[in-house]
């Protein structure tokens, strides 16, 4: 493999996540997973959803297994939902406090992983600020261990992509006729990347990635999507509008990044800008939200918003993924 070619690296990563029988062993990226597998995971996730107020779905499919959460970047929703998903499947869940772990003493990530592996942690859920960490770990663990990417730099966030397409499917059905607008800091957003991977595989009609030019993605990273720098053009007749946070932690030099008022006026998802979308458009946001910057607060709480449903779906999707890698393990 030519390590300089990012597409080859991705192909290799896509192959790494399936076992010889095509079953999901690791979840590193949605890129390269086919439509049938994505659809099966969404269908499984739907099976874990219960009515509001009812008790959450539970099973014992991961009883005896251990899930380790290793979040080397902040997280509320993703970490809490992996924790609950593991417990609701009967697994033991270890939430490693990385701020007090030996990585702070200079231990390498692989040594941390080998330590947990020696304690029979079967599934490691990893969030890290550097590119390539989940795949790197996946190449080094023992054959019975699964690695799930819970957010990799600005590269990918596959379970987020799955929960986003599940939410869209629940409201809009088939993807073919949909206009989907993702608005915000696309360049630094792993959420936008994984949504793009899933939506293009699922056959989305028209995917528009809208941002100021300075926050636009490289075109070769988002084949199948349209890069748009004008909000009115991008949001026109949209069935789905997803707002994204400006990822300041990933932007080294903030020169040229618009100020808050200018940004909200030109790229904010607001009552005004939503007038251009379809009247029945849904509004999404992965959280954490910066109200009044990328989204008008009252819109986030209004009838078109499906933001809390995304959170609910997040637990179901993570149960579906954990159950699936558990079955792959059991079949080995
Ligand atoms: C996102 C993330 O961490 O990538 N949040 C999430 O997982 N729900 C988006 C963000 O941080 O803006």
């Amino acid at each position: 493999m030519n390590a300089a070619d990012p597409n080859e690296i991705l192909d290799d990563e896509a192959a790494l996540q399936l076992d010889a029988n095509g079953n999901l062993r690791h979840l590193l990226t949605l890129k390269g997973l086919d439509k049938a597998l994505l659809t099966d995971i969404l269908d499984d996730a739907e099976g874990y959803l219960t009515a509001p107020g009812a008790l959450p779905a539970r099973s014992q499919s991961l009883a005896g297994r251990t899930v380790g959460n290793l979040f080397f970047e902040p997280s509320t929703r993703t970490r809490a939902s992996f924790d609950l998903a593991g417990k609701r499947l009967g697994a033991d869940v270890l939430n490693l406090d990385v701020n007090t772990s030996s990585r702070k003493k200079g231990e390498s990530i692989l040594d941390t992983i080998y330590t947990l592996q020696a304690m029979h942690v079967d599934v490691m859920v990893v969030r890290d600020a550097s590119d390539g960490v989940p795949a790197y770990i996946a190449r080094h663990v023992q054959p019975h261990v699964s690695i799930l990417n819970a957010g990799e730099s600005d590269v990918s966030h596959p379970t987020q992509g799955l929960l986003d397409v599940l939410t869209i499917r629940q409201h809009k059905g088939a993807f073919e006729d949909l206009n989907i607008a993702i608005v915000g800091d696309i360049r630094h957003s792993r959420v936008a990347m994984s949504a793009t991977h899933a939506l293009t595989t699922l056959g989305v009609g028209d995917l528009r990635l809208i941002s100021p030019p300075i926050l636009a993605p490289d075109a070769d990273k988002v084949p199948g999507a349209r890069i748009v720098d004008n909000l009115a053009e991008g949001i026109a007749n949209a069935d789905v509008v997803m707002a994204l946070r400006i990822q300041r932690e990933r932007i080294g030099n903030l020169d040229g990044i618009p100020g808050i008022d200018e940004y909200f006026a030109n790229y904010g998802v607001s009552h005004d800008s939503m007038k251009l979308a379809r009247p029945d458009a849904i509004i999404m946001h992965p959280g954490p939200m910066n109200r009044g910057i990328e989204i008008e607060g009252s819109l986030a709480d209004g009838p078109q918003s499906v933001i809390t449903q995304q959170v609910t779906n997040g637990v179901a999707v993570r149960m579906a993924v954990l159950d699936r890698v558990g079955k792959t393990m059991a079949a080995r």
Side-chain angles (χ1 to χ4, degrees), residues 74 77-78 127 157 160 190-191 245 247 249-250 286-288:
R77 278 149 285 265
T78 308
R127 169 171 286 195
H157 190 352
Q160 180 72 40
R190 55 196 176 204
V191 176
R245 185 174 69 86
Q247 313 264 311
E249 71 276 29
R250 284 200 253 291

Side-chain angles (χ1 to χ4, degrees), residues 73-78 127 150-153 156-157 160 163 188-191 244-247 249-250 285-289 318:
E73 266 195 335
S75 173
T76 300
R77 278 149 285 265
T78 308
R127 169 171 286 195
E152 173 189 358
S153 177
S156 101
H157 190 352
Q160 180 72 40
L163 77 88
H188 303 101
S189 174
R190 55 196 176 204
V191 176
L244 297 175
R245 185 174 69 86
I246 299 182
Q247 313 264 311
E249 71 276 29
R250 284 200 253 291
H285 194 303
M289 273 188 278
R318 287 163 184 132

Side-chain angles (χ1 to χ4, degrees), residues 285-305:
H285 194 303
M289 273 188 278
N290 290 140
R291 292 168 183 256
I293 303 180
E294 73 270 10
I295 188 164
E296 194 168 343
S298 56
L299 208 56
D301 303 323
Q304 287 175 277
S305 169

Side-chain angles (χ1 to χ4, degrees), residues 49-126:
L49 292 170
T50 55
L55 292 177
R58 282 182 192 277
S59 89
Q60 286 296 313
S61 70
L62 282 191
R65 301 281 182 195
T66 303
V67 176
N69 277 329
L70 287 82
F71 280 66
F72 298 104
E73 266 195 335
S75 173
T76 300
R77 278 149 285 265
T78 308
R79 180 173 160 151
S81 60
F82 266 113
D83 186 354
L84 290 174
K87 286 173 177 153
R88 287 176 186 169
L89 294 174
D92 295 332
V93 181
L94 167 79
N95 286 297
L96 189 76
D97 183 351
V98 295
N99 291 316
T100 55
S101 77
S102 290
R103 251 194 117 187
K104 289 273 169 193
K105 299 183 189 168
E107 182 173 79
S108 77
I109 186 144
L110 273 190
D111 284 332
T112 303
I113 297 291
Y114 292 151
T115 301
L116 297 178
Q117 188 172 259
M119 296 180 192
H120 286 255
V121 176
D122 306 284
V123 183
M124 304 199 199
V125 179
V126 180

